[in-house]
Every structure is written in structure tokens, then in C-alpha cells.
Amino acid sequence: MENEKMKWNTPEDLEELLCEVVGWDSRTGTEGEIEFATKVLKKILEMQYFQENSSHIHFHDAGKGRSAVTAYYDSGVTNKTIVLISHFDTVHTEEFGGGLEELAFQPKALTEELKKRKDDLPEDVQIDLDTDDYLFGRGTMDMKMGLVLHLHLLEKASIEKWPINLLLLTVPDEEVNSSGMRAAVKGLINLRKEYGLEYQLFLNSEPSFSQKPQDANYYIYSGTIGKIMPSALFYGRETHAGEPLSGITGHYMASYLTKAMEFNPHFVEEEYGEKTPLPICLQEIDLKEDYSAQTSHHTAALYNVFLMRQNADDIMTIFKHTAITSMAECTNDYKKICEREGVTPIGEIRVLEYTELLEYAVRKMGSNGVEKLIESVMADESLDERKLSMQITDNLMLRCQELAPATVLFYAPPYYPAINSSDNELVQKKIALTQKLLKEEFNVEATQVHYFNGISDLSYVNYNPTDTGWQSFKNNTPVWGDTYSIPFKEMQQLQSPVLNIGPFGKDAHKLTERLHKESAFKYTPFVLAKVIESMFVGSYIQ
């Protein structure tokens, strides 16, 4: 391969490759997402190494016709391997509107069109358009440039015969449920066994995200923040609107827990001087289907909680305490109203974990009865994992109404465990090297962030091998084992540090999503190559 010429080496080459890959529309849940794996396979096969070693390319079933793709470069001299992780799905493009949606996947054409319309855009976007330093388009920043960088590294390694192995992994569905990465975990374990690999580092190239509005700093990440969704079904007692105190509405109950959950400081963690954002309610849904004078007695709410060191069991403990306190307040206020109106209250509000409700239902209905109930809900293909979780819990309560009024606590997907390698010596050296190279070569200051604040697929590797708190998530997730699961035991076998070095960009998931061209096509490819070379070339080791 000495005579092979690199196709994706210069800034111009990388920009053209990015524009091509962005042009492959791969919005989550579309046919384009399904087809992307075959397109990237063909692109990988443009490298001579993979033409000669096509058996080193594997597809990993991620469900719904989608596949994660791995491509393994074998140096032939070591088992030490770096895993390059990216995702290829993008969020949707409805916000483009106004004749721009057809240009969403054409970065150069979109950038030129936005220049014509810049007076309608925010001031910071106008400034960036005037500089011509940015390339706009869906997926330019988040995160097809990461995949392009990894293709560049794979090609460079195969032609220059780097004495270290690279395993490119690119996955679908990071933006919704991370189905691709969860499926790929077992693939990583199987490939490690098949080729006798020793994973040294999981290297992601998600973009450098702003920490706050108008933030233009460049960040390197030594971990990724976690996210979990403690949720609740509020099952009251129905009544006629003319006799409101003969029952209690789900909305009334929900208002107490939502007030207690939103901005609750007891869920906030602080590590390395960084804090998790406050929790908030992402969605509250009335499960009463039709309008009538009957009150709505069943409502569900999903709450967003970010994590650093805590696990699912820790969060459920705080959540349950919060729910018990807020439902006691709700009960007390309701009783006072009933007393004022001369009405007998319907009783105390119970607080149950989903696993407790499930055990009760099994005792009442039998295992087969519960299984059939869950299967009947699962048969509705119009419902996503969150709606399925609500409906399963609601249907169980329908069969166990003697427990009402009750608030049932459960987990709804997705769950992203927090992962951190800030104290790892290898990661510390690579961050110091990255900062040194960026400063010396490009006069760019780079800051270490301990937890990537954009959620990433790194959540599914390097999971704490002694943690058992994930069992609380398994036990309290109604769709566990059917449409959603997390391979925690396999994740615990992938004990290698994580690092994220990616290009700088702005406005992910917005019409004005854009990528800084010099960062993407000059700084980051140079730095990534040097970081990997430092794993085998002594002159670069700091």
C-alpha cells in the first residue's frame, strides 16, 4: 500500500467528504438512517486495506432495519487497539421551513442561501456568515464531521502502517434511544474476543459544545454526563365534574410532584467544579382519551435528571422520598378542602415503585395475566418507549384500582449512565498533549471539561464494574426486555478510559447548526493523529 494515495487528507479533501456524507440524509427513524450503513460500507471499501481485508468490516443489528458498522484496521504487530466512536443519525429538519429544508443536507448551498437571508438571523449568526469561517447544515456539527475524522484516521493508519490497531465504530440512533451503541456493545466484546484485542481507549469525536450561549471556547472532554428519566403515573379516582370532591384528578396530584421535582437541588451533583443542570419536567400527558364531563383521573409525567456519580438506585431513592413528601402534602391539602366543603375525603395517596405494582398485579392476576396485559400494550406500534411505559403502568393500575389513589414511580427510556476518566493517567496525558499542540501549532486555547454536556454514546462503555444500582432501572422500567434494555453486564467488561476530542461548532439541533471549518479540517485532524501516534511514537509522549 506504499503507492496508495490518501483520498481524505487535505482540508479540501475533508470538506468534500463531509459534504458528501452530510448529503446522505440520515434523520433518525427514516429510510436514510437504514441506508446509511451500506453507504459508509462502500466508502470504507474505497481504502485499499479494506478491499484486501473486507472481512474486517462488520454490521451489528440495531433493530428496525438499522445497523451499526465497525471497520477494523489490524496493524499486525500488537493487540493494542483504539476504538473510534461516532454516530451517523441526525435530528429532523422541520425548523428549516421557508424553502430551506431542501438545502438542509447541502452545506455549501445552504451556507450561501443563508448569506442572502442573514438579516433574518440572530446577530451572532450574521457575524459568522460574514467571516466565512463556518459551514452550515444538518449534521455538519452533530456529528458527521466526527465520522469523517475517523475515516481520515483509518485511511492514514492503513497507508502509513501505524503499529497500533484502530476499530472504527459508527452507529445509528444516538439522538433518540442510542439503540445503535447499545447494540454495538456486544459487538465490541465479540470483536475483542475474535481478534484478541486489548482496548486502550474509547475515543469519541462529538463536537466541542458551547457551555453557555455565545461561548466560543474549545473544549476537550474526559467524560460524559448522564441522563435518566424518573417518571410517574398519577392514578386518582374519577368523578363527574359536578361532584369534583367525590374523586381526585391525576392533574391535581401531578401538580404537587412536578412542583417538587422542577429545579429540585437535591438531584444536583457537583464534581471537579462542574454541576449538573437542575431537573425539569419534560412532558406531562393526560391519559384520558376523550372529552367528557368525567374528570381525568390518570396522568403521567416524565422528569429529566442529569447524573455524574449517582446511579439509578440513588435517583429512585431521592425520587421516592420527593414523591412521598409531595403526595403527603397533596393529601393534606385535599383533606382540608374536603373538610371546608363538608365532604368525606377518599383516602391517602399511596406511593409505589413500578416493581411493587407489578408484584401486586402478579399476585392478583397471575403471571400469565400480567404477561398478556403487557403484550396487548406492546402490540400498539404507534407508541414509542415512553408512551408504552405509561400505558403498561396505567393498564396495570386499571386492573388494580383498589390501590388508588396512587402515584406509581417508574423509569422511562432512555437512560445514559455518566462515565468519567478524568483521573486516568493516560487520559490526563492525552489532554495535556492536545492542549499543547493546539496552542503551539494553532494558537488555540483548549479547556478540559470533565463531563460532556451534550449526552454521548460513551455512556455505554467503561461502566463501573462493581455497580449494582442499575438493577433499580431494570426493575422499574416497564418496557425492559421488550423494546428497551441496556447491556450493563457487557458494559462492565469494557473497562478502558474514554476521551472526546472533536471539532468546534455551534447551534446543534437548530436551523443555524454550523461547523468551524479550520477547527474541523485543520486543527482536529492534526491533533487526533498526534494523540494516536503518541500511543506508539515516543517523541510525542508527554
Side-chain angles (χ1 to χ4, degrees):
M1 282 174 279
E2 291 82 355
N3 298 323
E4 185 181 0
K5 182 183 177 183
M6 286 192 68
K7 301 177 181 66
W8 312 314
N9 195 34
T10 68
E12 295 75 22
D13 295 336
L14 293 173
E15 183 171 358
E16 286 305 311
L17 178 58
L18 175 66
C19 289
E20 181 182 359
V21 173
V22 169
W24 304 340
D25 173 5
S26 54
R27 288 168 291 181
T28 314
T30 65
E31 281 299 312
E33 184 187 27
I34 294 172
E35 295 165 359
F36 193 97
T38 301
K39 291 177 179 177
V40 79
L41 165 67
K42 292 177 181 177
K43 188 56 62 176
I44 291 168
L45 285 172
E46 289 183 21
M47 296 182 233
Q48 187 176 333
Y49 174 85
F50 288 101
Q51 292 169 14
E52 297 171 1
N53 296 276
S54 59
S55 63
H56 287 192
I57 305 172
H58 297 84
F59 278 20
H60 307 269
D61 182 13
K64 299 181 180 178
R66 302 165 302 188
S67 296
V69 183
T70 53
Y72 169 52
Y73 160 70
D74 182 359
S75 66
V77 298
T78 182
N79 62 356
K80 297 185 185 302
T81 305
I82 298 172
V83 182
L84 307 172
I85 297 175
S86 66
H87 71 85
F88 57 73
D89 66 314
T90 72
V91 295
H92 284 246
T93 54
E94 291 89 346
E95 73 276 13
F96 280 73
L100 288 176
E101 192 164 10
E102 63 185 24
L103 300 178
F105 303 104
Q106 301 176 50
K108 291 181 179 179
L110 176 64
T111 302
E112 291 306 309
E113 183 61 29
L114 289 176
K115 287 178 181 179
K116 298 175 186 177
R117 306 184 185 203
K118 71 176 185 178
D119 290 344
D120 298 330
L121 299 171
E123 184 179 355
D124 64 311
V125 179
Q126 295 183 36
I127 292 170
D128 287 346
L129 282 165
D130 286 338
T131 65
D132 203 33
D133 289 340
Y134 288 84
L135 195 62
F136 289 69
R138 176 61 78 238
T140 52
M141 172 195 179
D142 184 17
M143 71 160 296
K144 288 184 175 174
M145 189 62 217
L147 171 57
V148 166
L149 288 165
H150 295 171
L151 289 169
H152 158 72
L153 291 170
L154 204 61
E155 181 186 45
K156 190 174 177 66
S158 67
I159 291 175
E160 296 180 0
K161 296 186 177 179
W162 286 0
I164 194 166
N165 308 322
L166 298 183
L167 179 61
L168 179 145
L169 167 61
T170 190
V171 303
D173 184 33
E174 186 264 1
E175 299 291 359
V176 179
N177 286 321
S178 273
S179 301
M181 189 62 198
R182 288 185 289 115
V185 167
K186 293 181 181 179
L188 288 174
I189 290 173
N190 291 337
L191 290 171
R192 183 177 64 184
K193 182 178 180 181
E194 179 180 351
Y195 295 111
L197 305 179
E198 181 183 336
Y199 296 144
Q200 299 288 294
L201 180 68
F202 293 105
L203 179 60
N204 204 342
S205 289
E206 286 275 11
S208 176
F209 272 78
S210 299
Q211 294 290 100
K212 55 187 177 182
Q214 314 310 324
D215 182 5
N217 293 316
Y218 190 99
Y219 297 105
I220 312 159
Y221 305 92
S222 50
T224 188
I225 201 168
K227 166 196 165 80
I228 196 166
M229 260 198 310
S231 306
L233 171 74
F234 305 94
Y235 203 98
R237 292 268 181 86
E238 73 277 13
T239 184
H240 191 281
E243 298 179 305
L245 292 178
S246 294
I248 187 169
T249 68
H251 291 293
Y252 183 73
M253 295 162 61
S255 67
Y256 282 80
L257 183 54
T258 295
K259 182 182 177 183
M261 283 297 294
E262 289 210 333
F263 319 129
N264 188 330
H266 293 112
F267 289 91
V268 174
E269 294 185 72
E270 183 170 357
E271 294 287 338
Y272 304 105
E274 298 171 16
K275 293 175 71 173
T276 55
L278 293 162
I280 199 164
C281 181
L282 287 181
Q283 195 171 32
E284 187 170 307
I285 295 179
D286 188 340
L287 298 177
K288 179 186 170 188
E289 294 182 0
D290 303 311
Y291 170 80
S292 73
Q294 184 189 59
T295 59
S296 178
H297 65 284
H298 49 165
T299 303
L302 308 178
Y303 303 103
N304 189 86
V305 174
F306 288 105
L307 315 165
M308 285 179 173
R309 298 291 184 186
Q310 295 186 106
N311 59 31
D313 190 47
D314 298 326
I315 296 302
M316 182 55 75
T317 298
I318 303 171
F319 186 42
K320 191 170 186 178
H321 174 76
T322 304
I324 290 171
T325 303
S326 61
M327 289 304 103
E329 182 184 357
C330 179
T331 299
N332 187 51
D333 288 351
Y334 170 75
K335 284 181 176 179
K336 287 180 180 178
I337 294 168
C338 289
E339 191 176 307
R340 184 190 73 202
E341 300 295 324
V343 175
T344 302
I346 60 173
E348 306 278 337
I349 301 173
R350 302 171 189 263
V351 175
L352 302 167
E353 292 183 36
Y354 173 79
T355 186
E356 295 173 299
L357 171 61
L358 188 64
E359 290 170 2
Y360 182 92
V362 167
R363 289 196 298 271
K364 181 179 180 180
M365 302 166 57
S367 297
N368 288 339
V370 170
E371 286 175 13
K372 287 180 181 178
L373 181 150
I374 293 174
E375 286 173 4
S376 69
V377 177
M378 298 298 298
D380 188 344
E381 295 182 358
S382 70
L383 302 178
D384 67 11
E385 282 81 357
R386 286 147 291 282
K387 295 279 182 65
L388 287 169
S389 299
M390 297 175 196
Q391 289 293 344
I392 290 170
T393 309
D394 187 50
N395 281 19
L396 287 172
M397 275 300 301
L398 179 64
R399 306 305 195 282
C400 303
Q401 292 189 48
E402 62 274 17
L403 297 177
T407 294
V408 184
L409 311 180
F410 62 95
Y411 279 122
Y415 172 28
Y416 290 81
I419 302 296
N420 187 269
S421 296
S422 294
D423 297 330
N424 180 271
E425 185 179 357
L426 174 68
V427 168
Q428 290 172 348
K429 286 182 177 180
K430 300 315 164 196
I431 288 174
L433 173 59
T434 300
Q435 291 171 321
K436 180 174 182 287
L437 289 169
L438 284 170
K439 180 63 177 176
E440 290 179 355
E441 299 291 334
F442 306 106
N443 198 30
V444 171
E445 297 282 354
T447 302
Q448 178 183 359
V449 172
H450 298 274
Y451 289 91
F452 177 70
N453 59 322
I455 303 297
S456 84
D457 283 328
L458 289 176
S459 283
Y460 301 105
V461 295
N462 202 33
Y463 191 79
N464 183 346
T466 63
D467 178 77
T468 57
W470 59 268
Q471 291 281 356
S472 178
F473 184 82
K474 174 184 177 182
N475 294 338
N476 286 299
T477 300
V479 295
W480 181 272
D482 290 310
T483 61
Y484 189 86
S485 60
I486 299 175
F488 286 105
K489 291 182 178 179
E490 289 83 0
M491 285 154 51
Q492 289 176 320
Q493 297 175 40
L494 297 173
Q495 289 303 302
S496 299
V498 303
L499 181 62
N500 192 106
I501 302 173
F504 177 72
K506 297 180 182 179
D507 290 355
H509 299 188
K510 295 183 181 181
L511 161 67
T512 49
E513 176 182 352
R514 58 200 184 275
L515 180 73
H516 188 267
K517 292 191 285 190
E518 273 201 292
S519 170
F521 307 134
K522 292 182 181 178
Y523 310 165
T524 313
F526 175 83
V527 166
L528 285 173
K530 294 301 182 186
V531 164
I532 294 176
E533 286 174 11
S534 73
M535 304 281 280
F536 61 83
V537 180
S539 61
Y540 289 115
I541 297 176
Q542 303 299 307

